[in-house]
Amino acid sequence: MSNDQAPMAPMPVHNNTDDSLWRTLWNAYEPVITALRRIPLVTNVESGNMFAITAELTDGSHLWISSVEDLPIDPGVLEGFLVKRLHDDIPTIDEVVYDSTDGGEQAEHGNHVVPLIQAITAFVTERGLAPRVIDLISVQLQAVTAQHQPLSELLQGPFNDRQAAVKEYGYATQQMAEEGWTCVHTQGGTDWPLTVWELNGEVATVYLAHVGQAIV
């Protein structure tokens, strides 16, 4: 699956997105924020009494990403990352996920973003704290007309269940047979079926295709 098709968590919903300080912090730490949104976690920046990045988890807790103290407005003077899992309503949830500040367990990584995101991804995946990303599948038709013109058509979908897509594929190919098309090639079985059809000089391929992903 191409990264271009991968979904990204939505922007946070609040009234601060027009605030100049909020935008400054968002832009300063955009590489971290974008990587978190691709996990995909809804991500925000705190620009009030404390400066930090927050990322929502599916159990109501969140990640709090700061440094030795607040995140500096200038990432150039950052002193490593400190990531904690916290919960606004359950104070006993307070655990260190990653610490690359001086003396921290991952201090050797300093300000590098890649090991930070790798550690967060591993943590939320192991705990099941990130939204699920599912594949979307559709029934597609690609054809060449008798006048040698290309034709592309979405027959059904997209579906988030492959078996539902396979069922609709069956209906689509049954209809083609009823309309007089002759099946000249079959492959893929019931997993990823593909058939080639011919009728009066026209040739059509009907198949299942990945068309992207969705967050659930």
Side-chain angles (χ1 to χ4, degrees):
M1 188 66 61
S2 168
N3 288 336
D4 293 337
Q5 294 179 303
M8 183 180 291
M11 291 283 290
V13 179
H14 55 69
N15 296 325
N16 289 347
T17 53
D18 290 329
D19 178 75
S20 60
L21 179 56
W22 185 92
R23 287 187 173 276
T24 297
L25 287 166
W26 180 276
N27 292 331
Y29 292 96
E30 183 275 333
V32 176
I33 292 168
T34 297
L36 290 170
R37 293 179 66 205
R38 289 193 182 282
I39 287 179
L41 302 175
V42 174
T43 305
N44 198 1
V45 290
E46 295 290 329
S47 58
N49 295 329
M50 301 184 68
F51 297 163
I53 298 169
T54 60
E56 298 176 15
L57 304 178
T58 55
D59 68 342
S61 65
H62 62 274
L63 298 178
W64 181 273
I65 304 170
S66 58
S67 186
V68 174
E69 295 180 350
D70 292 3
L71 285 179
I73 294 178
D74 178 7
V77 297
L78 187 69
E79 298 180 73
F81 291 100
L82 174 61
V83 183
K84 289 187 174 184
R85 174 178 172 240
L86 304 172
H87 198 297
D88 291 337
D89 300 321
I90 308 176
T92 54
I93 295 180
D94 184 353
E95 58 183 317
V96 174
V97 176
Y98 181 86
D99 186 0
S100 64
T101 64
D102 187 27
E105 188 172 346
Q106 292 82 24
E108 70 273 15
H109 297 309
N111 298 340
H112 293 294
V113 173
V114 171
L116 166 73
I117 298 303
Q118 288 175 336
I120 291 175
T121 301
F123 177 81
V124 299
T125 300
E126 180 181 345
R127 301 287 189 91
L129 295 174
R132 288 195 306 117
V133 177
I134 58 173
D135 290 330
L136 297 177
I137 302 167
S138 68
V139 184
Q140 302 269 10
L141 178 142
Q142 295 283 341
V144 177
T145 69
Q147 290 75 38
H148 309 290
Q149 297 298 313
L151 175 64
S152 179
E153 184 177 352
L154 169 66
L155 297 181
Q156 293 291 341
F159 302 93
N160 59 17
D161 178 77
R162 185 168 56 83
Q163 292 306 315
V166 170
K167 186 176 182 179
E168 291 298 329
Y169 168 90
Y171 293 149
T173 52
Q174 179 180 349
Q175 181 177 352
M176 293 187 71
E178 292 173 354
E179 292 174 353
W181 288 81
T182 299
C183 182
V184 296
H185 175 74
T186 302
Q187 69 182 50
T190 58
D191 292 327
W192 288 100
L194 177 150
T195 44
V196 180
W197 301 78
E198 187 275 332
L199 176 66
N200 298 330
E202 298 187 353
V203 177
T205 302
V206 183
Y207 59 98
L208 295 189
H210 282 295
V211 292
Q213 294 180 312
I215 300 171
V216 296

